[in-house]
Amino acid sequence: MNEAAPDVPSPTRDERIAFLRTVPLFADADDRLLGIVADAVQRRRFPAGEVLFREGDVGEAVYVLFEGVVKLSKVDLGGHEKTLAMLRPPEYFGEMAPLTEGERSATALAVEDVTALLLFDDDFRHLMRTHPQVGLNVNATLAARLRGMDDEAQILSYQDAQGRVAYVLLQLYRSGIVHLDGGPPVVHLTHQELANMAGTSRETVTRALKALEGERVIDTRPKEIVLLHVEGLEEILHDIR
Ligand code: CMP
């Protein structure tokens, strides 16, 4: 299941090093460190729809996204799914369980076919101990995530569903989870998936999208939202604030 498909060649060591240089976990790492990591990581492939790991699993590795999009989510006691983040290369995730020797705090799902480079926890912790830069980089990621969560808590507590949905669409745009085929950016998500991100119901999202369409900042099609006017979405968020 996780074996490399024979038709897709593995990146060479040099290609792995060149890629790892772009990963925030290894920002400012020297060539020697990048070489150590390139030799230590294992490549795994996950078809779209496959779960990489589930909330509560033992965390055995940090995942560096090489290809594809991953969704991180949690299910609350009422059975509602909350999407925490959608990630794309060169982002990494799954560092919290190895750091604490605890359980996975969220479930990771391959939204598209995914290739990840796994850095197993013994290697990860060894790197943290021997290369302070790696520890600093992890701290920077955790701080950025906390800042993002603070912003989100503030925005998602607004009453206005239009603002919540505008915020989610902007987040998807800013994190590159949009398709660009020469025209305006397109979000390929269902109303339910947007609701899981905005912490609201599908019906509320549908109404909010209609309102945003009325403002001519987006255009909705089945399973597609075209972002016609990104600055307009920002203005809506700003006006509500
Ligand atoms: P871990 O707990 O090992 O497995 C789930 C991973 O999801 C976690 O490590 C983090 O890397 C990531 N994660 C958890 N919460 C968030 C969040 N709010 N935003 C982005 N990523 C998260």
Side-chain angles (χ1 to χ4, degrees):
M1 164 174 74
N2 288 328
E3 292 304 310
D7 53 331
V8 181
S10 278
T12 63
R13 185 172 189 272
D14 282 350
E15 285 167 347
R16 286 201 301 278
I17 289 178
F19 166 73
L20 289 167
R21 206 183 293 286
T22 68
V23 174
L25 181 58
F26 306 113
D28 297 324
D30 58 27
D31 287 352
R32 195 172 158 272
L33 172 56
L34 292 171
I36 294 171
V37 179
D39 292 335
V41 289
Q42 280 187 26
R43 189 178 80 136
R44 295 260 173 97
R45 302 183 67 218
F46 304 88
E50 188 164 314
V51 169
L52 283 67
F53 56 73
R54 286 184 196 282
E55 186 178 352
D57 284 355
V58 173
E60 89 296 24
V62 179
Y63 288 61
V64 179
L65 253 182
F66 186 72
E67 270 171 351
V69 173
V70 162
K71 178 175 82 171
L72 297 169
S73 66
K74 284 173 89 79
V75 175
D76 70 18
L77 291 176
H80 304 110
E81 182 183 308
K82 172 74 177 88
T83 300
L84 302 175
M86 304 272 277
L87 304 180
R88 67 185 179 99
E91 288 172 292
Y92 70 96
F93 58 95
E95 75 296 336
M96 283 165 54
L99 274 178
T100 57
E101 298 187 45
E103 296 176 345
R104 294 292 187 196
S105 60
T107 296
L109 173 88
V111 175
E112 299 172 352
D113 290 350
V114 158
T115 305
L117 303 180
L118 272 65
L119 179 64
F120 286 88
D121 48 0
D122 284 350
D123 290 330
F124 175 55
R125 280 201 295 271
H126 179 70
L127 284 181
M128 294 268 293
R129 275 195 296 272
T130 53
H131 294 80
Q133 189 59 42
V134 176
L136 289 170
N137 292 340
V138 170
N139 276 332
T141 298
L142 295 176
R145 202 180 287 159
L146 187 57
R147 190 174 298 129
M149 286 168 63
D150 289 346
D151 286 350
E152 183 176 307
Q154 206 178 20
I155 283 169
L156 297 188
S157 65
Y158 294 161
Q159 295 292 318
D160 194 305
Q162 210 180 319
R164 289 172 170 223
V165 174
Y167 172 75
V168 166
L169 293 175
L170 280 171
Q171 284 300 98
L172 289 166
Y173 173 73
R174 287 176 188 148
S175 50
I177 313 289
V178 288
H179 293 253
L180 297 165
D181 296 324
V186 179
V187 172
H188 285 269
L189 289 177
T190 63
H191 293 191
Q192 183 60 56
E193 285 164 331
L194 287 173
N196 294 347
M197 298 188 78
T200 185
S201 69
R202 183 177 55 77
E203 295 76 8
T204 305
V205 164
T206 302
R207 274 197 302 276
L209 288 173
K210 283 231 159 7
L212 291 171
E213 201 167 26
E215 308 252 0
R216 299 187 192 286
V217 288
I218 62 163
D219 194 12
T220 59
R221 302 179 195 150
K223 290 197 182 178
E224 268 189 14
I225 294 138
V226 185
L227 307 186
L228 295 175
H229 188 19
V230 171
E231 294 79 14
L233 278 172
E234 277 163 357
E235 277 164 26
I236 285 172
L237 206 54
H238 192 259
D239 289 349
I240 293 167
R241 236 171 170 171

